[in-house]
Amino acid sequence: MTIADYDLMDFDEVLEHFDPVMGLEVHVELATETKMFSSSSADFGAAPNSHVDPVSLGLPGALPVVNRRGVEWAVKIGLALNCEIAESSRFARKNYFYPDQPKNYQISQYDEPIAYEGHLDVQLDDGTPWRVEIERAHMEEDTGKLTHLGSATGRLQGATSSLVDFNRAGVPLIEIVTKPIEGAGARAPEVARAYVTALRDLVKSLGVSDARMDQGSMRVDANLSLRPKGQEEFGTRTETKNINSLKSVEQAVRFEMQRQAQVLTDGGEIDQETRHFQEADGSTTKGRPKETAEDYRYFNDPDLPPVIAPREWVEEIRESLPELPWVRRARIQKEWGLKDEEMRDLVNAGALEVIIATTEEGAGPDEARSWWVSYLSGKANERGVELEELPITPAQVARVVALVKDGALTTKLARKAVDFVLDGEGDVDEVVAKHDLEVVRDTGAIEKAVDDALEQNPDIVEKYRNGNKKVTGAIVGAVMKATKGAADPKQVNQLIAKKLG
């Protein structure tokens, strides 16, 4: 189904009749060297089924051993989310069958999570603060990954066969679960995006995950229900699974609000089910009936002892926390002299972190902002990706800034260099050399181009000598064209002024 197949209620009309209630479950893959319960590599991108072992394949007799670093990073996330840390927590078996879960159960935490009762304060687009209450952050293992063949979308619907890769099975996960988010009204989609954005920035700043949503190292399940105005009881919820971009989180919540409202208004009932988000048009499609906790038949894993987190160890981890994103932003804003709205614009554009990284590579804040916010944001829009997903690094942008500052590149040539880097042709210095982009320093060649331009434009020469000094732009343009943009405009202007007296 596509979005055109759904009867959707107008968004403003939804808000006249219903209050949305959200719950967000965010799965964060930890960037540990090995898996949560075995010594296999947890690196992303290896050949299918090359990072496996008896534990991650669920072979009989294989016993799990807890990854200490995984526990430490779980505590770190919990502390950064203002959670209470349990001195003793337990792993449980979550029983269900799915082809990418080789044991037919997942090792997770249920009624004894390692972190609980926290909150994350986020900022909406206009600066409005919003506190999202955290119910729990618990440890678990990731599943494998299915690749569906034969369908137009790569999803199960329409597929003729499926392949399973167990490299991801057993990779450490932290699942962060919010309490019900009420009272957001029309801003519910925006609150969802702002929360996931803040959470992504947080885990990246902690150094525990790259939080690459496009690669699945951070995934969002969005629960949503509607209740008629004046009703206290929550409605039946749906859970849109594995959303993998910030924009998609907002779209999924908005779509479900409109879809559910129309179903309820037409006299229908909402099925408690999982749904799949469709990137192509922002709709969601029906998945499977949604289980309750009782359906998973949780029980304590007999192969794993309780996880003990002594107070002294927790406080050591607390002391090691880095400068958190909101504290860092306040410092950067003061250092750079930015207004509140300027800082919000950078954050909302997803540009702040790459700009900071570019300044750390040697570029000035103004130059870094100019490149990322103007030129590179346009390139990201053209490609339909987030700014940080562009195939250019802050170090490469800083190198371009340095070459412009040194006079080796003009702004026009620098943009060409950036385009070649974005197209995968190599590093900055490589593409400059390959495409002969460096500014021409041969005074003789530039002088000849100036002489030719003056000779071909006698009317401009006459206007200049009659006192109109602004007409030289055409001469400069002709020289730049003749030198394929490689002449130094400052040098060209000096030569023109010298020759015209």
Side-chain angles (χ1 to χ4, degrees):
M1 294 179 69
T2 67
I3 196 168
D5 298 316
Y6 288 97
D7 190 10
L8 301 178
M9 181 176 288
D10 180 77
F11 189 72
D12 290 336
E13 189 178 352
V14 173
L15 300 168
E16 292 177 11
H17 303 287
F18 299 98
D19 291 321
V21 179
M22 288 190 301
L24 298 168
E25 302 171 13
V26 180
H27 298 78
V28 178
E29 278 188 358
L30 300 182
T32 54
E33 292 184 10
T34 58
K35 295 185 177 181
M36 190 65 200
F37 301 109
S38 72
S39 59
S40 279
S41 172
D43 283 348
F44 175 82
N49 296 307
S50 59
H51 290 171
V52 295
D53 57 73
V55 175
S56 55
L57 289 176
L59 299 184
L63 294 176
V65 177
V66 175
N67 184 327
R68 177 187 171 89
R69 180 59 56 84
V71 176
E72 177 186 336
W73 285 0
V75 172
K76 184 175 283 192
I77 290 173
L79 291 172
L81 290 172
N82 304 290
C83 288
E84 298 291 329
I85 305 300
E87 288 195 57
S88 176
S89 62
R90 292 195 66 98
F91 285 105
R93 292 187 180 182
K94 182 180 180 180
N95 297 275
Y96 67 95
F97 171 77
Y98 207 65
D100 60 4
Q101 178 57 276
K103 300 187 296 291
N104 290 341
Y105 65 84
Q106 178 188 31
I107 301 177
S108 181
Q109 291 189 310
Y110 177 47
D111 56 347
E112 298 181 60
I114 193 164
Y116 57 95
E117 293 295 333
H119 65 266
L120 181 61
D121 292 322
V122 305
Q123 233 182 33
L124 305 187
D125 291 346
D126 62 358
T128 301
W130 193 280
R131 173 165 290 189
V132 177
E133 302 287 346
I134 306 296
E135 179 177 303
R136 57 194 279 135
H138 64 260
M139 299 180 288
E140 60 186 22
E141 60 177 343
D142 211 342
T143 59
K145 183 178 180 180
L146 290 172
T147 299
H148 304 294
L149 306 180
S151 69
T153 62
R155 294 187 178 275
L156 182 60
Q157 292 83 357
T160 56
S161 60
S162 298
L163 304 176
V164 63
D165 176 9
F166 287 118
N167 280 351
R168 199 175 67 182
V171 168
L173 273 184
I174 302 300
E175 181 176 353
I176 302 160
V177 182
T178 71
K179 293 183 178 181
I181 302 171
E182 304 177 60
R187 308 195 78 168
E190 183 187 351
V191 169
R193 173 173 52 81
Y195 168 71
V196 176
T197 301
L199 190 55
R200 183 188 64 169
D201 292 345
L202 176 62
V203 298
K204 287 172 67 177
S205 74
L206 295 175
V208 299
S209 175
D210 62 11
R212 287 285 301 271
M213 298 184 76
D214 59 314
Q215 293 182 356
S217 53
M218 181 169 169
R219 308 189 292 275
V220 182
D221 297 341
N223 294 274
L224 187 111
S225 66
L226 296 179
R227 59 183 177 189
K229 291 282 188 178
Q231 177 178 300
E232 293 188 9
E233 184 181 351
F234 291 170
T236 302
R237 65 186 173 93
T238 62
E239 181 180 18
T240 304
K241 302 285 288 184
N242 295 329
I243 307 171
N244 61 5
S245 80
L246 301 175
K247 179 181 177 182
S248 298
V249 171
E250 186 170 12
Q251 287 179 318
V253 171
R254 187 182 183 93
F255 178 87
E256 274 300 287
M257 287 174 65
Q258 294 180 268
R259 184 190 70 83
Q260 290 187 24
Q262 190 64 57
V263 170
L264 293 170
T265 302
D266 290 343
E269 294 183 352
I270 301 300
D271 295 326
Q272 182 168 307
E273 62 186 2
T274 63
R275 296 186 68 84
H276 303 295
F277 182 75
Q278 304 299 322
E279 295 283 351
D281 60 9
S283 66
T284 68
T285 56
K286 192 176 185 66
R288 55 179 171 78
K290 176 62 181 171
E291 298 87 346
T292 63
E294 289 74 16
D295 294 324
Y296 290 121
R297 306 188 318 283
Y298 284 99
F299 62 87
N300 289 337
D301 193 308
D303 294 332
L304 290 165
V307 175
I308 305 300
R311 293 296 92 186
E312 298 81 5
W313 185 54
V314 171
E315 291 308 311
E316 286 177 14
I317 296 174
R318 192 192 303 274
E319 290 298 318
S320 74
L321 291 178
E323 186 179 35
L324 296 178
W326 41 91
V327 178
R328 186 179 184 217
R329 285 172 190 160
R331 174 177 59 80
I332 291 292
Q333 182 176 348
K334 184 177 180 180
E335 289 177 359
W336 291 359
L338 299 177
K339 298 177 181 176
D340 289 345
E341 56 269 24
E342 290 177 319
M343 177 58 83
R344 284 201 303 271
D345 287 344
L346 294 182
V347 173
N348 293 338
L352 181 61
E353 292 305 318
V354 288
I355 292 171
I356 292 174
T358 304
T359 63
E360 291 171 349
E361 294 290 345
D366 291 340
E367 292 91 343
R369 283 173 62 195
S370 177
W371 273 101
W372 285 106
V373 173
S374 56
Y375 193 70
L376 287 168
S377 65
K379 293 296 178 181
N381 289 335
E382 289 175 13
R383 295 172 180 233
V385 299
E386 301 288 341
L387 198 57
E388 64 179 14
E389 294 171 12
L390 283 173
I392 189 168
T393 66
Q396 290 170 325
V397 175
R399 178 58 179 158
V400 170
V401 170
L403 290 173
V404 172
K405 187 174 182 180
D406 292 343
L409 292 178
T410 63
T411 299
K412 184 176 180 180
L413 292 173
R415 288 179 174 178
K416 288 184 178 180
V418 167
D419 288 345
F420 287 128
V421 173
L422 291 173
D423 289 339
E425 292 198 24
D427 210 347
V428 175
D429 291 307
E430 292 173 350
V431 300
V432 168
K434 178 180 177 181
H435 294 279
D436 196 21
L437 297 179
E438 195 164 353
V439 168
V440 173
R441 294 298 181 189
D442 184 348
T443 303
I446 296 175
E447 189 167 1
K448 182 180 183 307
V450 170
D451 289 338
D452 290 343
L454 292 173
E455 184 179 345
Q456 293 164 12
N457 296 276
D459 55 328
I460 292 178
V461 172
E462 184 179 353
K463 290 178 181 178
Y464 183 90
R465 286 176 172 159
N466 288 331
N468 187 353
K469 307 298 184 184
K470 297 180 180 180
V471 297
T472 56
I475 303 296
V476 175
V479 174
M480 298 304 291
K481 182 177 180 181
T483 59
K484 297 181 179 178
D488 181 355
K490 183 178 179 181
Q491 186 180 14
V492 171
N493 276 294
Q494 289 172 344
L495 282 170
I496 292 172
K498 179 180 177 182
K499 289 180 179 293
L500 295 181

